[in-house]
């Protein structure tokens, strides 16, 4: 990089072992003086959305893990998920913090068509569903109390169903916000609603609103705008990542009623996405990125979250999440506040490394594909082989394990921390709020076991479900 430095800078930095980071408006960068891989590209621009789960990127930058790999990285916040994805596809961004559903949807051609892959899962859990104070007051009589007199958790959507039914009977829409049509938040909100008998609506090739036949009407709201949109009454609740559920508590405008940890224990949340073309042209750079991100994830979880307070301070900076540190800390440090004053211990609300959080499991990808099929984003029946092949075309555990092996050999990671012998599938689990079993190797059997949603050869035509 020295050929790009001014003569004056060269003089100042002569003999230095590392080049200091330089701040620019809206972006910031770092450079390494040494490389452990022969990098095809060492100048990178990476995108993110202002959410706490972008933390691995911030930490890899701030702790010099990118620098250790010889990478000159610029991190740049993006306006919304669509802009972020489009800029990765065009090459304006080399990679980005992405919704788990984005690489899958792009690869199968839902929305934007592009082959996006991921060698790294960024975290587990981290989302919640919040309702307005008025809706909570209507729900609360339907929620059983625990021994301490406080609402018993997890709160199921059964408690919301009478409220939605009342709105429907009165001819009033029950509007809810989620962050993107292929977001984890959309699928988690839909799963929670459907588990309580509330139809969250279908998609069809002719109508991509996702509101066909819906009892609740879901629409897109960017994450930082959720609290203000709720306060304005445009929506009655939302599903979003932190710190935007806790922001509603701090502002006194809403109550988070359930976390995604309670909907699906240790569910995958964000991934690091790159185009397939980038990975093919820059295999060593991809490995270097993955190594740096693994180290960042380790740092975030090590010693029982001992570094989380420092992480909160970093994330609160305007160039990252830019929210009040107290709001971020409310969930990031192992607690979560529901009603004002009802703060509970949820040590795994944010997980970045433990439970094999960073390994890109095929079974995680397949779950998202089953939900796309369930609600009509995949309009036609697909056999089990299609799900497996699609997952393998997007998720790249081989790249992940190669990066992990290098870190172990360098003494920067422990051999026992990685699932070397995994076939890419987690065991079947019933860790869902409704207790339904999910086996990633049998996606169609799973889809058929769910009470609400498309099954078999069914599809949506007009405003009804047709086919067997």
């Amino acid at each position: 990089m020295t050929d790009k430095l001014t003569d004056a800078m060269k003089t100042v930095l002569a003999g230095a072992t590392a080049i200091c980071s330089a701040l620019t408006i809206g972006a910031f960068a770092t450079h390494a003086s040494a490389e452990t891989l022969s990098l095809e590209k060492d100048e990178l621009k990476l995108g993110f959305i202002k959410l706490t789960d972008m933390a691995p990127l911030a930490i890899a930058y701030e702790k010099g893990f990118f620098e250790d790999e010889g990478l000159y990285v610029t991190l740049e916040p993006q306006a919304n998920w669509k802009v972020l994805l489009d800029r990765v596809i065009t090459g304006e961004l080399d990679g980005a913090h992405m919704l788990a559903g984005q690489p899958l949807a792009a690869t199968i051609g839902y929305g934007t068509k592009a082959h996006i892959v991921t060698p790294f899962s960024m975290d587990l859990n981290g989302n919640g569903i919040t309702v307005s104070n008025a809706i909570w007051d209507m729900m609360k009589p339907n929620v059983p109390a625990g021994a301490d007199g406080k609402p018993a958790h997890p709160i199921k959507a059964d408690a919301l169903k009478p409220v939605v039914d009342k709105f429907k009977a009165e001819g009033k829409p029950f509007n809810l916000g989620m962050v993107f049509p292929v977001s984890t938040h959309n699928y988690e909100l839909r799963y929670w609603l459907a588990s309580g008998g509330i139809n969250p609506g279908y998609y069809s090739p002719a109508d991509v609103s996702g509101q066909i036949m819906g009892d609740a009407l879901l629409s897109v709201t960017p994450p930082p705008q959720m609290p203000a949109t709720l306060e304005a009454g445009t929506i009655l609740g939302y599903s979003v990542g932190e710190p935007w559920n806790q922001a509603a508590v701090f502002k006194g405008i809403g109550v988070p009623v359930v976390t995604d940890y309670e909907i699906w224990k240790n569910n995958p949340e964000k991934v690091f996405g790159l185009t397939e073309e980038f990975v093919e042209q820059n295999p060593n750079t991809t490995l270097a990125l993955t190594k740096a991100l693994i180290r960042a994830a380790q740092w975030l979880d090590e010693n029982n979250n001992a570094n989380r307070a420092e992480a909160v301070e970093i994330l609160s900076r305007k160039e990252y999440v830019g929210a009040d540190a107290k709001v971020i800390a409310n969930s990031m440090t192992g607690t979560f506040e529901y009603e004002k004053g009802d703060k509970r211990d949820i040590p795994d609300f944010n997980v970045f490394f433990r439970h094999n959080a960073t390994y890109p499991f095929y079974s995680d990808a397949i779950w998202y594909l089953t939900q796309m099929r369930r609600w009509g984003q995949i309009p036609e029946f697909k056999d089990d082989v299609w799900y497996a092949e699609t997952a393998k075309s997007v998720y790249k555990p081989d790249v992940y394990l190669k990066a992990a092996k290098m870190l172990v050999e360098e003494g920067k990671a422990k051999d026992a921390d990685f699932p070397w012998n995994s076939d890419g599938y987690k065991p079947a689990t019933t860790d869902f709020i409704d207790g339904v079993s999910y086996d990633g190797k049998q996606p169609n059997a799973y889809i058929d076991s769910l009470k609400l949603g498309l099954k078999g050869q069914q599809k949506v035509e007009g405003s009804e479900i047709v086919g067997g």
Side-chain angles (χ1 to χ4, degrees), residues 18-40:
I19 298 176
C20 297
S21 61
L23 285 178
T24 59
I25 297 174
F28 31 102
T30 187
H31 175 74
S33 58
E35 297 178 1
T36 55
L37 283 162
S38 177
L39 303 179
E40 302 85 8

Side-chain angles (χ1 to χ4, degrees), residues 3 11 22 87 91 101 127 132 157 170 174 242 300 304 353 377 386 402 407 436:
D3 58 314
T11 301
R87 295 190 76 208
N127 296 335
S132 70
E170 295 173 356
F174 197 88
E242 283 309 306
L300 281 158
N304 295 316
F353 187 71
Q377 290 175 331
W386 179 88
K402 189 172 181 180
L407 288 173
V436 173

